[in-house]
Amino acid sequence: GAGVSQSPSNKVTEKGKDVELRCDPISGHTALYWYRQSLGQGLEFLIYFQGNSAPDKSGLPSDRFSAERTGGSVSTLTIQRTQQEDSAVYLCASSFSGRAWEQYFGPGTRLTVT
Amino acid sequence: AQSVTQLGSHVSVSEGALVLLRCNYSSSVPPYLFWYVQYPNQGLQLLLKYTTGATLVKGINGFEAEFKKSETSFHLTKPSAHMSDAAEYFCAVSDREAGTALIFGKGTTLSVSS
Protein backbone atom coordinates (compact mmCIF):
# COMPACT_ATOMS: atom_id res chain seq x y z
CA GLY A 1 0.00 0.00 0.00
CA ALA A 2 0.98 3.61 -0.41
CA GLY A 3 0.40 4.75 3.15
CA VAL A 4 1.34 3.86 6.70
CA SER A 5 -0.62 0.86 7.89
CA GLN A 6 -1.32 -0.25 11.44
CA SER A 7 -2.78 -3.39 12.91
CA PRO A 8 -5.00 -4.24 14.56
CA SER A 9 -7.37 -1.33 14.04
CA ASN A 10 -9.06 -2.11 17.35
CA LYS A 11 -7.86 -4.10 20.34
CA VAL A 12 -9.74 -4.87 23.52
CA THR A 13 -7.73 -6.47 26.28
CA GLU A 14 -8.07 -7.23 29.95
CA LYS A 15 -6.12 -5.33 32.54
CA GLY A 16 -2.79 -7.00 33.18
CA LYS A 17 -2.43 -8.58 29.76
CA ASP A 18 0.34 -7.71 27.30
CA VAL A 19 -0.47 -6.27 23.86
CA GLU A 20 1.50 -5.76 20.67
CA LEU A 21 0.66 -3.09 18.13
CA ARG A 22 2.16 -3.17 14.66
CA CYS A 23 3.15 -0.42 12.24
CA ASP A 24 4.18 -0.77 8.59
CA PRO A 25 5.75 2.49 7.41
CA ILE A 26 5.78 3.86 3.91
CA SER A 27 8.40 2.09 1.82
CA GLY A 28 11.66 4.03 1.82
CA HIS A 29 10.89 5.99 4.96
CA THR A 30 13.74 5.57 7.40
CA ALA A 31 12.18 7.45 10.30
CA LEU A 32 9.29 6.01 12.32
CA TYR A 33 7.38 7.54 15.21
CA TRP A 34 4.83 6.35 17.72
CA TYR A 35 2.32 8.70 19.34
CA ARG A 36 -0.55 8.20 21.75
CA GLN A 37 -3.85 10.04 21.50
CA SER A 38 -5.83 10.03 24.72
CA LEU A 39 -9.14 11.72 25.39
CA GLY A 40 -8.45 15.19 26.69
CA GLN A 41 -4.68 14.78 26.39
CA GLY A 42 -4.14 15.35 22.73
CA LEU A 43 -1.26 13.63 20.99
CA GLU A 44 1.79 12.59 22.96
CA PHE A 45 5.08 11.52 21.45
CA LEU A 46 6.21 8.08 22.61
CA ILE A 47 9.27 6.92 20.66
CA TYR A 48 11.21 7.70 17.49
CA PHE A 49 13.40 5.49 15.29
CA GLN A 50 15.83 6.86 12.71
CA GLY A 51 17.69 4.35 10.59
CA ASN A 52 20.17 2.34 12.63
CA SER A 53 20.56 4.94 15.35
CA ALA A 54 19.49 4.29 18.92
CA PRO A 55 15.81 5.17 19.28
CA ASP A 56 14.65 8.26 21.13
CA LYS A 57 12.57 6.74 23.95
CA SER A 58 12.09 9.95 25.86
CA GLY A 59 8.31 9.92 25.50
CA LEU A 60 7.61 6.44 26.82
CA PRO A 61 5.43 6.87 29.93
CA SER A 62 6.72 3.86 31.86
CA ASP A 63 8.94 0.80 31.57
CA ARG A 64 5.87 -1.23 30.65
CA PHE A 65 6.13 0.35 27.21
CA SER A 66 8.73 -0.75 24.69
CA ALA A 67 9.13 -0.74 20.93
CA GLU A 68 11.36 -2.32 18.37
CA ARG A 69 11.91 -1.90 14.69
CA THR A 70 13.07 -4.92 12.75
CA GLY A 71 15.08 -4.58 9.57
CA GLY A 72 14.57 -0.85 9.52
CA SER A 73 10.96 -1.28 8.48
CA VAL A 74 8.12 -2.76 10.54
CA SER A 75 7.80 -1.64 14.13
CA THR A 76 6.03 -3.21 17.09
CA LEU A 77 4.93 -1.29 20.17
CA THR A 78 4.52 -3.55 23.19
CA ILE A 79 2.64 -2.66 26.34
CA GLN A 80 3.13 -5.07 29.22
CA ARG A 81 0.71 -5.54 32.09
CA THR A 82 -1.79 -3.13 30.56
CA GLN A 83 -3.63 -0.68 32.78
CA GLN A 84 -6.91 1.11 32.13
CA GLU A 85 -5.07 4.40 31.67
CA ASP A 86 -3.32 2.84 28.66
CA SER A 87 -6.63 3.00 26.77
CA ALA A 88 -6.01 5.34 23.85
CA VAL A 89 -5.46 5.48 20.12
CA TYR A 90 -1.88 4.65 19.23
CA LEU A 91 -0.68 6.37 16.08
CA CYS A 92 2.35 5.55 13.97
CA ALA A 93 3.98 7.92 11.50
CA SER A 94 6.91 7.69 9.12
CA SER A 95 9.09 10.07 7.12
CA PHE A 96 12.12 10.20 4.86
CA SER A 97 15.49 10.73 6.44
CA GLY A 98 16.19 14.43 6.81
CA ARG A 99 12.49 15.26 6.41
CA ALA A 100 11.38 14.40 9.91
CA TRP A 101 9.15 17.44 9.78
CA GLU A 102 7.03 15.83 7.07
CA GLN A 103 5.46 12.85 8.77
CA TYR A 104 2.72 10.67 7.34
CA PHE A 105 0.34 9.10 9.84
CA GLY A 106 -1.34 5.74 9.89
CA PRO A 107 -5.01 5.27 10.89
CA GLY A 108 -4.12 4.23 14.41
CA THR A 109 -4.92 1.34 16.72
CA ARG A 110 -7.66 1.94 19.26
CA LEU A 111 -6.71 0.13 22.46
CA THR A 112 -9.31 -0.47 25.15
CA VAL A 113 -8.24 -1.97 28.45
CA THR A 114 -11.13 -3.37 30.48
CA ALA B 1 11.46 22.85 25.67
CA GLN B 2 8.93 23.40 22.96
CA SER B 3 5.23 23.57 23.66
CA VAL B 4 2.04 24.35 21.79
CA THR B 5 -1.10 25.98 23.13
CA GLN B 6 -4.37 25.86 21.25
CA LEU B 7 -6.83 28.36 22.66
CA GLY B 8 -10.30 26.90 22.82
CA SER B 9 -10.94 23.18 22.89
CA HIS B 10 -14.22 23.73 21.03
CA VAL B 11 -15.10 26.30 18.38
CA SER B 12 -18.54 26.56 16.83
CA VAL B 13 -19.31 28.53 13.68
CA SER B 14 -22.17 28.82 11.23
CA GLU B 15 -21.81 27.63 7.68
CA GLY B 16 -20.29 30.44 5.63
CA ALA B 17 -18.73 32.17 8.63
CA LEU B 18 -15.04 32.79 9.18
CA VAL B 19 -13.09 30.02 10.86
CA LEU B 20 -10.29 31.06 13.22
CA LEU B 21 -8.41 28.45 15.25
CA ARG B 22 -5.68 29.81 17.46
CA CYS B 23 -2.24 28.35 18.06
CA ASN B 24 0.67 29.76 20.01
CA TYR B 25 4.00 28.08 20.42
CA SER B 26 6.92 28.32 22.75
CA SER B 27 10.34 27.65 21.31
CA SER B 28 13.82 28.99 21.75
CA VAL B 29 14.33 29.00 18.00
CA PRO B 30 11.81 29.43 15.19
CA PRO B 31 10.36 25.98 14.70
CA TYR B 32 8.65 24.26 11.85
CA LEU B 33 4.88 24.65 12.29
CA PHE B 34 2.02 22.46 11.18
CA TRP B 35 -1.73 22.11 11.23
CA TYR B 36 -3.26 18.66 11.03
CA VAL B 37 -6.92 17.73 10.71
CA GLN B 38 -8.59 14.58 11.98
CA TYR B 39 -12.04 13.73 10.67
CA PRO B 40 -14.20 11.40 12.78
CA ASN B 41 -12.79 7.87 12.85
CA GLN B 42 -9.98 8.79 10.50
CA GLY B 43 -6.25 9.35 10.79
CA LEU B 44 -4.36 12.62 10.88
CA GLN B 45 -4.05 14.55 7.64
CA LEU B 46 -1.60 17.38 7.07
CA LEU B 47 -3.44 20.62 6.27
CA LEU B 48 -0.45 22.90 5.83
CA LYS B 49 3.03 23.57 7.10
CA TYR B 50 5.47 26.42 7.56
CA THR B 51 9.16 25.74 7.23
CA THR B 52 10.83 28.73 5.58
CA GLY B 53 9.94 31.54 3.20
CA ALA B 54 6.56 33.19 2.97
CA THR B 55 4.90 33.50 6.34
CA LEU B 56 1.38 33.11 4.92
CA VAL B 57 0.91 29.47 4.09
CA LYS B 58 -1.95 28.07 2.07
CA GLY B 59 -3.13 24.53 2.60
CA ILE B 60 -5.79 22.16 1.42
CA ASN B 61 -9.53 22.77 1.54
CA GLY B 62 -9.15 26.56 1.52
CA PHE B 63 -7.34 26.83 4.84
CA GLU B 64 -4.39 29.10 5.45
CA ALA B 65 -2.19 30.08 8.36
CA GLU B 66 0.20 32.90 9.06
CA PHE B 67 3.43 32.56 10.99
CA LYS B 68 3.91 35.62 13.20
CA LYS B 69 7.24 35.41 14.94
CA SER B 70 6.62 38.50 17.08
CA GLU B 71 3.44 36.94 18.46
CA THR B 72 4.74 33.34 18.43
CA SER B 73 1.51 32.42 16.72
CA PHE B 74 0.37 30.27 13.82
CA HIS B 75 -3.41 30.74 13.68
CA LEU B 76 -5.46 28.78 11.16
CA THR B 77 -8.17 30.52 9.16
CA LYS B 78 -10.71 29.85 6.47
CA PRO B 79 -12.91 32.62 5.07
CA SER B 80 -16.09 30.55 4.77
CA ALA B 81 -16.83 27.41 6.74
CA HIS B 82 -18.41 24.35 5.16
CA MET B 83 -20.24 21.60 6.98
CA SER B 84 -17.50 19.22 5.84
CA ASP B 85 -14.93 21.20 7.84
CA ALA B 86 -16.29 19.78 11.11
CA ALA B 87 -13.35 17.89 12.58
CA GLU B 88 -10.61 18.10 15.17
CA TYR B 89 -7.66 20.31 14.35
CA PHE B 90 -4.19 20.00 15.82
CA CYS B 91 -1.38 22.50 15.75
CA ALA B 92 2.13 21.05 15.99
CA VAL B 93 5.74 22.18 16.10
CA SER B 94 8.95 20.44 15.23
CA ASP B 95 12.44 21.35 16.31
CA ARG B 96 14.05 22.84 13.22
CA GLU B 97 17.50 21.79 14.38
CA ALA B 98 16.87 18.31 15.71
CA GLY B 99 14.03 17.58 13.32
CA THR B 100 12.55 14.85 15.40
CA ALA B 101 9.13 14.20 16.84
CA LEU B 102 6.23 16.59 16.55
CA ILE B 103 4.91 18.32 19.63
CA PHE B 104 1.16 18.68 19.37
CA GLY B 105 -1.35 20.96 20.94
CA LYS B 106 -4.36 19.39 22.64
CA GLY B 107 -6.58 20.00 19.66
CA THR B 108 -9.61 22.12 18.83
CA THR B 109 -12.88 20.57 17.79
CA LEU B 110 -14.61 22.61 15.11
CA SER B 111 -18.39 22.35 14.82
CA VAL B 112 -20.21 23.86 11.85
CA SER B 113 -23.93 24.48 11.99
CA SER B 114 -26.28 25.14 9.10
Side-chain angles (χ1 to χ4, degrees), chain B residues 24-65:
Chain B
N24 289 86
Y25 68 89
S26 172
S27 176
S28 57
V29 296
Y32 293 141
L33 295 158
F34 309 83
W35 276 98
Y36 283 85
V37 61
Q38 187 175 35
Y39 297 102
N41 300 314
Q42 294 188 29
L44 283 166
Q45 181 180 3
L46 181 66
L47 263 181
L48 49 79
K49 65 179 183 287
Y50 169 77
T51 54
T52 58
T55 56
L56 181 62
V57 180
K58 295 186 184 299
I60 61 173
N61 301 337
F63 283 93
E64 61 183 36

Side-chain angles (χ1 to χ4, degrees), chain A residues 33 35 37 40-43 45 48 56 91 100-103 105-107 110, chain B residues 32 34 36 38 41 43-44 49 51 88 90 94 99-102 104-106:
Chain A
Y33 314 79
Y35 297 87
Q37 185 175 18
Q41 296 297 316
L43 283 141
F45 162 70
Y48 158 61
D56 176 357
L91 293 167
W101 42 268
E102 191 167 27
Q103 298 177 24
F105 283 81
R110 181 175 297 278
Chain B
Y32 293 141
F34 309 83
Y36 283 85
Q38 187 175 35
N41 300 314
L44 283 166
K49 65 179 183 287
T51 54
E88 189 160 19
F90 294 93
S94 175
T100 57
L102 296 170
F104 285 89
K106 295 198 172 187

Side-chain angles (χ1 to χ4, degrees), chain B residues 4-114:
Chain B
V4 177
T5 301
Q6 290 184 240
L7 297 175
S9 58
H10 287 87
V11 171
S12 296
V13 300
S14 300
E15 195 171 21
L18 171 72
V19 176
L20 171 60
L21 304 183
R22 299 178 186 274
C23 173
N24 289 86
Y25 68 89
S26 172
S27 176
S28 57
V29 296
Y32 293 141
L33 295 158
F34 309 83
W35 276 98
Y36 283 85
V37 61
Q38 187 175 35
Y39 297 102
N41 300 314
Q42 294 188 29
L44 283 166
Q45 181 180 3
L46 181 66
L47 263 181
L48 49 79
K49 65 179 183 287
Y50 169 77
T51 54
T52 58
T55 56
L56 181 62
V57 180
K58 295 186 184 299
I60 61 173
N61 301 337
F63 283 93
E64 61 183 36
E66 186 171 10
F67 168 55
K68 292 188 176 180
K69 182 178 177 181
S70 61
E71 299 177 6
T72 61
S73 69
F74 191 57
H75 301 331
L76 181 70
T77 60
K78 181 174 180 177
S80 177
H82 295 162
M83 298 292 287
S84 59
D85 294 327
E88 189 160 19
Y89 292 80
F90 294 93
C91 181
V93 303
S94 175
D95 188 322
R96 170 183 299 267
E97 297 298 323
T100 57
L102 296 170
I103 307 299
F104 285 89
K106 295 198 172 187
T108 298
T109 299
L110 175 66
S111 300
V112 182
S113 58
S114 57

Side-chain angles (χ1 to χ4, degrees), chain A residues 53-99:
Chain A
S53 302
D56 176 357
K57 304 179 182 180
S58 61
L60 294 178
S62 78
D63 59 8
R64 295 186 295 105
F65 288 72
S66 63
E68 63 178 19
R69 189 176 184 193
T70 54
S73 181
V74 172
S75 177
T76 301
L77 177 70
T78 301
I79 308 173
Q80 296 178 309
R81 305 181 302 282
T82 52
Q83 302 295 313
Q84 288 186 329
E85 60 263 29
D86 299 335
S87 296
V89 176
Y90 290 82
L91 293 167
C92 176
S94 69
S95 73
F96 285 113
S97 175
R99 295 178 71 88

